[in-house]
Amino acid sequence: MSQVLNISQRNAVLEEMITLVAAHKDAIIAANQQDLAAYTGDDVAMRDRLKVDDAKIAGMIDSLQQLAAQEDPVGVERFKFQHDNGMQVYNKTASFGTVLIIYESRPDVTIEAAGIAFKSGNKILLKGGKESLNSNLAIVQLWHQALEKYQIATDWVTYLNYNRTETQAFLEKPTQPVDLIVPRGGERLIAFVKQHATCPVIVSGRGNNFVYVHSEADRALALDNIINGKTDKISACNAVDKVLIDKNLPNKEDFVRNLITTLKNYNVEILGDSSLANYEEVTPIGDENVWFEEFLDYKIVIGETSDVPEAITKINTYSGGHSAVIITRNQEEAASFMAAVDCAAVYHNASSRFTDGFQLGLGGELAISTDKLHQRGPIGLQHLVTNKWYIHGDGQIR
């Protein structure tokens, strides 16, 4: 990387972006209206992610403010010791270099991802979807204004306006150095990137999140948790798609009836296993592969399970490794569940909707990784760094 920016320069650009986004709110929304008008698809989740309104603008500004307030993640000492020969040895965090993010329909990623990459001393290449082109270009123009104000090269934030063929060619033979790629979107996008990329890829995989209602659950809490997880934002990867209800839950029939009625009030399509066959509002599961699916829609699967081990096995078999919830008053059973479930985030009596970099104190997120290397769960500012050894001597040789 030709230019190293100190923390004052990086924060100054972020502060300028806060001012610019607020001042150009109407222009961003107007550009987004062009994208919405041009979008002819029937994907409810895609349209929800595409739309920019006052609340989305406020979220962009909040993310930038959180990032500007955070400590510098670069140059943090991780380890040090004095060698027997007198050398002083340090290991410190260091920027990756250049990060490429490929994403679909979400203009707020153009703020959040660029902000996280820039604050952590990385250049970023943004490859957004064609459905959000006008919105993305309007935001990138603001990034360039902020950079130019402080005499910083605009290639720190670069937008790649590529079609699929051009993107594939770039992945296979990049025309500039790329140190890390993060695909953020559906499974087809992720498979495409993994197939063609020639550098490390962090997978922001499917959600397909489960809630397990244990036999010792607070039923009112469980109902609120499931409804929030399913209906608060159906386009989110942290939404709930599957519910497992313990067969020994007291007054199970009342709970199931309340759950079905409430879900129907939100126009949620309900699929169920054989334990729910008597409910006319529930469609029987036709194909067991539905347990693997992430819906991103007003759709949910409900099934019965015998105990905690069976719930853990089912979640580890079918989930996307993103988030899982147990609702119970039993602390020991909760601890057992949370230790054994193989997901990036596990919850006890709280909504899966909190699997989010901003909510978990990271100042936003580049993506939510379902990989285990090098970071699992929300990828924030602190995770867009690698490490570097610094050794100081006075003539030592080996």
Side-chain angles (χ1 to χ4, degrees):
M1 186 179 294
S2 59
Q3 189 180 17
V4 176
L5 304 179
N6 63 44
I7 189 60
S8 296
Q9 291 172 295
R10 284 177 268 146
N11 281 341
V13 171
L14 292 174
E15 295 286 356
E16 180 64 15
M17 273 300 287
I18 293 168
T19 302
L20 289 172
V21 171
H24 293 84
K25 177 184 75 171
D26 292 343
I28 296 170
I29 291 175
N32 182 251
Q33 288 296 316
Q34 295 178 41
D35 291 329
L36 286 169
Y39 180 67
T40 56
D42 56 2
D43 187 329
V44 177
M46 178 80 83
R47 179 172 284 276
D48 182 61
R49 291 193 297 263
L50 176 59
K51 184 179 179 181
V52 175
D53 53 16
D54 287 347
K56 283 264 183 84
I57 295 285
M60 294 177 188
I61 292 171
D62 284 346
S63 177
L64 290 166
Q65 288 172 333
Q66 269 204 28
L67 285 170
Q70 291 204 22
E71 295 295 317
D72 187 0
V74 181
V76 176
E77 187 179 285
R78 303 168 70 219
F79 170 80
K80 72 175 178 180
F81 84 105
Q82 181 171 326
H83 195 282
D84 291 344
N85 66 15
M87 293 188 309
Q88 298 292 334
V89 179
Y90 301 86
N91 186 267
K92 300 179 182 180
T93 57
S95 306
F96 270 101
T98 299
V99 178
L100 166 62
I101 182 166
I102 304 178
Y103 55 108
E104 298 169 331
S105 78
R106 284 191 53 180
D108 44 333
V109 172
T110 310
I111 288 284
E112 210 169 328
I116 290 168
F118 184 74
K119 173 85 176 201
S120 52
N122 297 288
K123 290 185 176 180
I124 189 160
L125 308 176
L126 299 158
K127 169 60 187 81
K130 62 181 183 297
E131 68 282 346
S132 54
L133 179 62
N134 292 296
S135 308
N136 290 336
L137 291 179
I139 294 168
V140 169
Q141 185 179 17
L142 299 182
W143 276 115
H144 289 175
Q145 284 183 42
L147 291 163
E148 287 170 343
K149 179 174 179 177
Y150 294 98
Q151 293 80 51
I152 298 170
T154 57
D155 67 357
W156 278 84
V157 179
T158 300
Y159 194 80
L160 303 180
N161 190 8
Y162 291 166
N163 61 29
R164 184 180 177 86
T165 302
E166 292 166 331
T167 301
Q168 179 176 328
F170 186 84
L171 289 172
E172 293 173 347
K173 196 171 183 179
T175 54
Q176 61 176 289
V178 179
D179 299 285
L180 183 69
I181 301 176
V182 182
R184 184 167 173 172
E187 292 188 70
R188 288 177 59 194
L189 170 66
I190 291 165
F192 171 77
V193 173
K194 289 183 75 173
Q195 179 184 351
H196 298 290
T198 53
C199 77
V201 176
I202 293 179
V203 171
S204 180
R206 65 192 172 97
N208 191 32
N209 306 310
F210 280 67
V211 173
Y212 168 46
V213 182
H214 182 246
S215 59
E216 296 178 53
D218 178 319
R219 290 181 300 152
L221 188 157
L223 182 64
D224 288 346
N225 184 286
I226 295 164
I227 298 303
N228 176 255
K230 178 70 265 180
T231 67
D232 180 58
K233 188 176 177 67
I234 58 110
S235 66
C237 61
N238 56 24
V240 169
D241 282 330
K242 309 297 186 305
V243 175
L244 300 176
I245 302 172
D246 197 294
K247 69 178 183 181
N248 296 312
L249 178 71
N251 299 311
K252 178 174 173 282
E253 291 299 314
D254 287 346
F255 175 77
V256 171
R257 170 57 58 197
N258 285 338
L259 178 59
I260 290 171
T261 300
T262 309
L263 286 168
K264 282 298 179 183
N265 287 340
Y266 284 92
N267 296 314
V268 176
E269 178 187 352
I270 304 170
L271 297 148
D273 68 7
S274 57
S275 70
L276 283 90
N278 295 331
Y279 297 93
E280 61 182 35
E281 303 96 331
V282 177
T283 302
I285 294 170
D287 183 347
E288 287 298 307
N289 285 325
V290 76
W291 287 102
F292 285 109
E293 291 182 36
E294 179 186 32
F295 297 134
L296 299 172
D297 203 348
Y298 288 96
K299 187 175 181 180
I300 199 166
V301 173
I302 302 175
E304 186 178 82
T305 190
S306 299
D307 52 26
V308 172
E310 185 180 320
I312 291 168
T313 298
K314 191 143 196 172
I315 292 167
N316 288 346
T317 301
Y318 293 109
S319 85
H322 190 295
S323 300
V325 180
I326 182 171
I327 309 297
T328 184
R329 296 186 180 95
N330 188 315
Q331 298 290 334
E332 289 185 7
E333 293 283 39
S336 174
F337 176 92
M338 296 173 84
V341 165
D342 192 16
C343 287
V346 286
Y347 292 85
H348 176 205
N349 293 345
S351 174
S352 65
R353 289 281 292 120
F354 289 106
T355 309
D356 170 89
F358 191 84
Q359 292 292 330
L360 297 183
L362 300 181
E365 69 194 30
L366 189 77
I368 297 177
S369 170
T370 51
D371 278 349
K372 295 183 181 179
L373 291 175
H374 75 292
Q375 169 63 17
R376 197 178 193 189
I379 300 171
L381 182 66
Q382 304 87 338
H383 312 122
L384 267 196
V385 292
T386 179
N387 66 91
K388 188 173 179 179
W389 292 91
Y390 292 77
I391 302 97
H392 300 273
D394 54 5
Q396 288 89 340
I397 58 174
R398 182 177 178 182

